[in-house]
Amino acid sequence: GGETGVGFIGLDEEGQKFWEWIRLGTGAWFIATSSSDVYFLFGSHGAPFANTLGKVDPDTGEQRNFAGDKAELHFDTAAFGLAHREGPVAVSFPRDGKVRVLSGEGGEVRREVAADAPGPLAFAPDGTLVGVAGLGAGDLGPPPTWHGSAIFVAAPDATAAQTVALADVAAPSAVAVDAAGRVYVADYASHSVRVFASAAALGSPVTTLGTPGGHRPGPWDPQRMMYPNALAIEERADAAPRLWVTEASMGLKRVSV
């Protein structure tokens, strides 16, 4: 996002830009991708929060329409989380206490899931939804303000999510799930990412990525993180999955991989 409105770009494997998509709005707050589509949530019509869903072709950046030739889907309340896998799209609405699971093709609501002030979320390989729960009213502005107090888990056909408090995560801010079902939770408070074996095993993390504590004076430590607020998994055929972490620090900008 910038003064011209919403903007994001497509990069090839060499990091070269090969398309861009820009329109007036208040920033592309959440992006979710698959091999066939790129979905994004942004603010439109002057809204100070994300209230519009769009999609583009990942190869060309050309906008794709939903059913009824709709270029975008507009919501009447704040949307604050987006997840996609081949087929469905899930959108979080913390003020309404619900997650809507939409048809990726047409945008129709297929299912609503009751959840405790849900935020950023992800699909597990079996269709289970895992996301941040307990977002406060003050956490609905632009990044870097968001984080919750717990995690929610909803089975593939569930209409209500289970809230799980994590003893090792004080302020969850983002969630990702890899192809093996491992759950990654960014902790805004400890400046680290906790990794759990699965959505059914959130008792204790199997490992921690990043050195808790954020940036400090002295020699640079590449393992330290500062307010991690977004996660993405890059699955690789010939290597272990790569986790991308963005930081909400207002100082030097960095992307940890």
Side-chain angles (χ1 to χ4, degrees), residues 21-210:
W21 193 93
I22 297 175
R23 65 152 288 173
L24 294 177
T26 56
W29 290 20
F30 297 95
I31 296 175
T33 66
S34 69
S35 60
S36 57
D37 292 288
V38 175
Y39 293 84
F40 54 99
L41 277 173
F42 65 100
S44 65
H45 304 292
F49 49 75
N51 67 346
T52 303
L53 178 68
K55 62 177 174 176
V56 299
D57 185 306
D59 296 321
T60 66
E62 295 180 358
Q63 186 157 345
R64 288 179 165 170
N65 291 346
F66 295 95
D69 212 28
K70 292 181 180 179
E72 298 156 350
L73 300 180
H74 299 283
F75 309 116
D76 57 5
T77 186
F80 216 79
L82 177 65
H84 173 51
R85 63 186 180 94
E86 302 294 344
V89 178
V91 183
S92 293
F93 297 91
R95 289 174 177 167
D96 295 347
K98 70 175 65 171
V99 175
R100 294 179 189 168
V101 180
L102 313 175
S103 161
E105 181 67 24
E108 305 91 351
V109 177
R110 296 292 180 82
R111 176 167 55 108
E112 288 193 349
V113 180
D116 176 22
L121 72 169
F123 277 108
D126 66 352
T128 294
L129 281 168
V130 186
V132 173
L135 283 178
D139 295 322
L140 302 187
T145 59
W146 67 59
H147 63 78
S149 58
I151 293 295
F152 74 82
V153 179
D157 296 322
T159 56
Q162 176 187 5
T163 301
V164 181
L166 304 182
D168 297 286
V169 180
S173 55
V175 173
V177 185
D178 66 21
R182 288 180 290 263
V183 177
Y184 302 76
V185 180
D187 187 2
Y188 203 82
S190 68
H191 310 288
S192 62
V193 177
R194 312 293 191 185
V195 184
F196 298 85
S198 71
L202 296 175
S204 298
V206 295
T207 190
T208 297
L209 304 176

